[in-house]
Every structure is written in structure tokens, then in C-alpha cells.
Amino acid sequence: MDYLKSLNEPQYEGVVNTEGPTMIIAGAGSGKTRVLTFRIAYLIEKKGVDPFNILSLTFTNKAAKEMRNRIEKVVGTEARNLWMGTFHSVFARILRAEADKLGYPSNFTIYDADDSKQLIKSIVKELNLDDKIYKPNVVFNRISGAKNRLISWKEYLRNPVFKADDESNMKPELGRIYKIYSERCFKAGAMDFDDLLFNTNVLFKDHLDVLNKYQQRFHYVMVDEFQDTNISQYLITKKLSAVRQNICVVGDDAQSIYAFRGADIQNILNFEKDYPDLRVIKLEQNYRSTKTIVNAANSIIGKNRAQLKKNVWTDNEDGTLIELLKATSDNEEGKLVASSIFEEKMQNQLKNSDFAILYRTNSQSRAMEEALRRMNIKYKIVGGLSFYQRKEIKDLMAYLRFAINHNDEQSLRRIINYPKRGIGDTSVDKIIVAANDHDMSLWDVLNNISSFLPGRAANAVIDFVALIKRFKYDIESKDAYEAASLIAKGSGIMKELYADKTVEGLSRYENVQELLNAVKEYVDDPEKEDKSLGAFLQEIALITGVDNDKDDDEEKVTLMTIHMAKGLEFKNVYVVGLEEDLFPSQMMLSSRADLEEERRLFYVAITRAERKLFLSYALSRYRFGRLKNCEPSRFIDEIDPDFIKVSKKFSKSEPVIDTNNYTKSFVSGMRKTTSSQPVVKKTSYKPSADFEPSDTSGLQAGMKVEHPKFGYGMVMEMDDSGANRKAKVNFDDFGEKTLLLSFAKLKIHSN
Ligand SMILES: Nc1ncnc2c1ncn2[C@@H]1O[C@H](COP(=O)(O)OP(=O)(O)OP(=O)(O)O)[C@@H](O)[C@H]1O
Ligand SMILES: [Mg+2]
């Protein structure tokens, strides 16, 4: 049992004391997740607990998968029977089994935020309200906030405080929208993400027999990243473990970054009150990062007033100083980061997967992606706008969803007239209004369409209904892959996309193929018990709603928002866009509490790094369609200067910039504390008079070279395969060129 030997004393305590309530509140990288993992392994292996009786809640699907894999290494394939996943995925599974108790179909649809906002938009329109006041986003957040505090629409309408609040905000109709929204979701057999938790609470409150069943099932309950649970999640775990009290939660108050979504640090304090016999364990030794990184992180978080006292230290080596990369523009920032990754890879034998680029907002990925692509560095984006958000994918998914759940209003809207079949918006509105006015289901209205629509439109709907019935038959009689393929063809989507011969059209066609591939992969996966199309859709809905876990093992640099990076670790980490108003975000500057949450976010970001941390900022960037000058973030100044240095590597050949655009921003945007004034250099390269070509027989990727015409550049790749040796060089001013070495005159500057 050597995994027990690899634990320090308090970690060991956390693993072997399996009975009774336990709380581990400890700093980043101190082994909290590892303790949870080993605790589960210990329960199974040493205490003989059946994995079916263990529930472990993680923050992302990715984290759950990693944990399961690690446990499998100790206990074998039995680990597959663990109940492990995000709150949303675990409770969606339970809701699916118990849906009838709440009046939902067991194949209920899960609406993502986009579906929800579309529905809100149509309700606002139907109520003839001003959509500039009742913006879908604002309404959605309000409803979501209420649900996360377990406030139903009934309570919302009853509560005079909300009423007064909404009236003073000039949005008196919010309660009514909440009501209609909830009713419409219910009628459509759909739950949004917040419903998954809200309805679980309702289920456990109103159906004690069901609660009892799950209390008997889960002998042990575990929660990772406890600091980011909201009250709704807290109550679920509390109820589930009420009988046996074997609950273990781990977290770090310094990493609480979801207050904006209702996460409540109070839960940590409540926990002590709710469980008087609580065992509290402190872990202080960090095993993840170098001394430099740990101490820099401590210097940052020390600036926050609200925090529990902790002393995080490490025995790891000092490591190198944090490097600060300064760029003139966001594109330049992308280039600096990409070339730094390239260099680090060469010099330290690192793999792409050792690197992560973390940013505050999703849109920052664009400049990074372009630069990485240009340098041929493979990357993946975790979370954010991704595959499943693309229009063609959502279209086909809507067909699949509707064929399974004939009352799914949002899917119906998407597909009823796509591809075009002569059913216009007015007809669609009429159908939906008819369903509401006559209290019929959408499907009933569609089946009796002649009573609601005139001849031609009605005929088109009749054909549509026949089509959907055929799809339903396909789903029931064939495997998920065959059914999905038939629907992709039968719906006309394939034909429509195939007819579009533009590059975009082609890529859309390929995306649809790719979705079918995903279904195939799902069907072929021996680990999936339920191979129905419905089960596939549910899994996708859960994955894409929270984090996108198309986890390919390929060697790729990871790009993601800091929020998504929680709990993860990488050898080298780049935290980019460290500029005032971006990070800390402009929206978070109005109160100390908000600013402290931003600082915790920064703390999360830098504690992801194991060996080397880079911070970068740009002096100008396009935001909301306008070029803006930027100032370096206050967070850079907050790091103890002993741990940070301005990168020399790239400023050697001072950044080459277009003088017209950037001189001003460069000068005005620069802060004295962080750097000296860089020199602005013209873009045109002049060869030195004594240019002497070098012998290129030893030329290798990673070397800096000079070319009489193209100027300075870096060798990206060598092609020694054919008779003609070639080098791909990325020139500072001219971009990528492939040169035949028997002709090109190159001077080697470094290696
Ligand atoms: N006793 C130990 N010996 C060796 N390595 C350890 C030990 N404890 C933890 N580690 C390693 O340290 C790293 C951080 O551990 P882990 O991810 O569990 O920390 P954490 O407290 O959950 O961090 P975070 O707060 O970021 O979620 C992991 O690579 C883990 O394997
Ligand atoms: Mg962790």
C-alpha cells in the first residue's frame, strides 16, 4: 500500500479517518485533491466499501475523469462504479431516474444558456416589453441568481423585497417573466442548468422516500473545491449525508472565485456550525510549485483582507524568476507567448501539454490562437465557444433533441423552417401561442395543425411532423449512430451544407460529420452503459454547459479562462492580458469585495504553475471594436519584486512596431515601476555591410539567423528529408519563409 507512504502526516490523517465529518481547508497545491483521491481508494481497497456507495463531487468533468483514472490505478476497474462527476452531471442522472416525481419526462432536455436566453427573448417579445430594458442576459442572470438561492418563481412574486428592488431598477416585470419562463421550460420538458440543482432540492424536500433512498445509497460523500459551492449545492450534500454524516469537503477560501454566481464562502463557516464534531485538517506544504512561485503567490494573496490564516510553504527548489513579457499590441502579445513556448520547449525538452495559457475572458484566445497556429504549435481550447456552440452543430443537435422530446420549444424553433420548408416566423409564433392559449402541448398543436394554420403552411407542417415521426422510429429501432446519420441526411442539413462550396461551407459540412463521429465513438465506447441517442445528448449537454472536455490525448498547449483552470497544474503557465480594466476586470472595480475576488482569481492563475510562470500584457488592444491604450495591471505591482523580472529574451531586438499606431500608447501606457522605456524601431531591416553567411550544415530549429533580405528570424523547422535541405524560418518582419539551404545566405546568430 505504498500510496499511503507518499503522504505527509496531515494528509495521512485526511485519508485514513474516513468516518464522520471532515473539512480540509488548505492552500493551493497542498494535496487536497490528492487526499480526496486516496481517501476514496482507501475506502474501497482497505475498508471494502462498494464504489457504488461513494459519491464524489468535483468542479469539472475533466477533474472527475482524472480522479477516476488515478483511483483506477490503485483499485482497478472497479473505480468505474463510483458516483463521480460535477454537481450538474450527478444530479442530472438522479433527476432522470426520478423525473416522474416532479412531472418531467425522464428524457427531459437540458437547455444551455443560449437556449434559455432565446426563450427569454421570445417571452419578452410576446409580453410586448422593451427588449432594451429586459435584456435576455440580464433577465437570465436574475432568474439564475434566484434559483441558486432556491427562490422559486412563486416565492419571487410573493416577496415584497424583490418587487421593490425590480421596480426601483425599472424592471417590474421580472417576476412575471420568471414565472412564464419556468412554466414554458416545464411544458417543454426542459431543465436549464440551474434547474438541475434547484429541482434536486425540490425532489429531496418533497419526496422524503427518494431522499431516503439516496441517503442509503451514498455511505460516503466527498466534495472538492468546496469554497465554490452555492447554497443550493450545499443543501444537497448536507441532506444526502445527514444520516451517516460521512462527509468530507476540501477547499481553499483563497481560491473562491464564483461569488458572482452565488458561491458562498459562508458555507465553510456554516459547515463548522452544522457539524459540531467536525474534524478540521490543515495542509500547509505545497508540492506543486517552486519557492519563487509559492512566495510570489503568498505576496499577492496577502493583500486581501478577507481570508483565513494559512502558511503555505514548499520544500521544492527556488526555481527561476517569474518573467514579465511586454507587448505593444494584443497580436504582438500572442507572438511573444508563442515564441516563448517554442523556446522553452527547445531548451527544456518540454512537450506542448506542459504549457497552459490562461486569460480572464474568452475572447482573448483569438490572438493567442493565431500566433500558435502561425508557429505550428498545436493547442486546444477548454471551455468557451467551441465545437458544440457552432450553428450547424446546434441545428443538427436540435433535430436529434426534438425527435426525442417533441415538446422542446427551443429546438422546434431552430428546425421547423431549417432547411427552408415554407413555415415562416409568423406560423411558428402562431403555433406557440396556440399551445399556450389552449393549454396544449406543442406536439398536439402540430398534429392538429389544420385547426390553427391555413392550407399551405399547414401542409408544410404536416410534412414536418411526418418527418419527425420517421426520425423517432429511427431512434427507437436503430443504434444511436445510424439514427443520427439518418436524421442528418433526412433533415436536409447535409444536403444544404454540401451545396455550399465555400471554405466555410465545407468546414460546416465537416463539423456535422465530426458530430456523427462523436456519436459513433460514444456507441463504441465499452464504458458507456446506456448507448441511446438520448444518453449521448444528455452527456453532451452536460459537458458543453460547464466545460468542454473533448479531451484528446494529443500533444497540445491548453488555452482556457482562469475560471476553468481551477484545480489543474502545468509545468509552464502564461497568464496573459495583465492590464487594468481587463484583469482586474472593469466590472469588478467598484467594491473591495469584488476586487478581492479578482485578486483570488489571480492567485488561482499563478498557483497553476509548477516550474515557470510568465505574465504578459499588451499596451494596446482592440476592445469592443475600438483600439484602446492599456496600462499594466496593478496585480503586477503587487508581486514582491524579488520574484519577478522583465523578460530580456524578447526585448533584445526591441519590439518591432508600426510607429504611427503605437508610439503614443507606448509612452503614455508605460508605468515606471515595471519597466524602462523601450526604443521604437523602424520596421525595415538594413543588412550590415560586413554580412558574412555562415556554414549552415549544423543549422537547427530554435536558432536565430539573419538573412540579407528578410532580416532577423528564428528557425522553426528543418527538413532534412530530401536532397535539398530546407529550413522554415519565421522572420520578424516578413513572417514565415521556407528556404533552400544550398541557395540561401544565412548568418547564424545564436543557438
Ligand atoms: N505528499 C505528497 N508527495 C508528493 N507529491 C504530492 C504530495 N501531495 C501532493 N502532491 C502533488 O502536488 C500537486 C498538487 O496536489 P493537488 O492537486 O492535490 O493539490 P490541491 O491542494 O488540490 O491544489 P489546488 O488548490 O490547486 O486544487 C500534485 O501534483 C500532487 O500529486
Ligand atoms: Mg485541487
Side-chain angles (χ1 to χ4, degrees), residues 183-199:
E183 290 171 344
R184 289 280 271 278
C185 284
F186 183 72
K187 203 165 163 208
M191 296 193 199
D192 67 17
F193 260 74
D194 302 313
D195 286 333
L196 296 175
L197 302 176
F198 185 88
N199 287 335

Side-chain angles (χ1 to χ4, degrees), residues 5-8 11 26-35 37 70 224-225 227 250-252 255 283 285-289 565-569 604 607-608 610:
K5 294 207 192 83
S6 70
L7 298 164
N8 67 29
Q11 289 180 333
S30 60
K32 297 183 294 296
T33 304
R34 196 169 185 259
V35 166
T37 310
R70 280 199 224 164
D224 198 359
E225 309 281 0
Q227 76 280 357
V250 312
D252 177 6
Q255 295 184 68
L283 308 175
Q285 180 170 1
N286 172 302
Y287 288 89
R288 176 181 295 146
S289 318
K566 219 164 48 134
L568 306 180
E569 56 191 18
V604 169
T607 52
R608 300 308 96 202
E610 294 170 16

Side-chain angles (χ1 to χ4, degrees), residues 350-370:
L350 295 172
K351 299 176 292 192
N352 283 341
S353 56
D354 292 327
F355 295 83
I357 304 177
L358 308 180
Y359 34 78
R360 179 69 180 83
T361 60
N362 261 312
S363 62
Q364 286 170 260
S365 76
R366 203 238 351 124
M368 297 296 144
E369 287 184 69
E370 281 179 20

Side-chain angles (χ1 to χ4, degrees), residues 187-219:
K187 203 165 163 208
M191 296 193 199
D192 67 17
F193 260 74
D194 302 313
D195 286 333
L196 296 175
L197 302 176
F198 185 88
N199 287 335
T200 302
N201 270 295
V202 174
L203 181 71
F204 288 165
K205 186 159 72 66
D206 295 350
H207 301 269
L208 292 179
D209 52 326
V210 178
L211 173 62
N212 192 263
K213 180 165 118 193
Y214 289 98
Q215 282 173 337
Q216 295 308 329
R217 170 157 317 162
F218 300 129
H219 299 189

Side-chain angles (χ1 to χ4, degrees), residues 446-568:
L446 293 175
N447 274 295
N448 295 288
I449 196 66
S450 314
S451 323
F452 302 101
L453 289 182
R456 252 187 63 202
N459 283 337
V461 172
I462 289 168
D463 290 345
F464 174 74
V465 168
L467 188 71
I468 296 299
K469 285 185 177 156
R470 203 177 89 206
F471 293 165
K472 187 174 178 67
Y473 170 79
D474 289 337
I475 290 172
E476 282 165 358
S477 61
K478 305 203 160 49
D479 85 18
Y481 173 68
E482 281 176 59
S485 308
L486 286 170
I487 295 173
K489 282 201 199 88
S491 62
I493 289 186
M494 290 299 236
K495 198 168 153 213
E496 175 107 352
L497 296 179
Y498 193 69
D500 180 353
K501 294 294 181 199
T502 61
V503 179
E504 292 82 27
L506 191 67
S507 115
R508 280 197 282 270
Y509 184 76
E510 282 170 1
N511 283 339
V512 169
Q513 292 287 3
E514 178 60 27
L515 175 63
L516 296 176
N517 293 342
V519 181
K520 183 86 179 98
E521 217 178 299
Y522 184 86
V523 171
D524 291 344
D525 184 346
E527 275 185 38
K528 307 284 183 235
E529 277 166 41
D530 183 350
K531 295 192 190 291
S532 69
L533 197 57
F536 170 79
L537 291 182
Q538 167 147 336
E539 180 162 302
I540 297 304
L542 288 165
I543 287 173
T544 51
V546 193
D547 56 327
N548 175 13
D549 181 29
K550 264 200 82 193
D551 203 28
D552 26 24
D553 294 318
E554 265 187 276
E555 268 306 303
K556 287 176 180 170
V557 173
T558 303
L559 271 67
M560 61 185 150
T561 63
I562 303 165
H563 280 100
M564 293 297 309
K566 219 164 48 134
L568 306 180

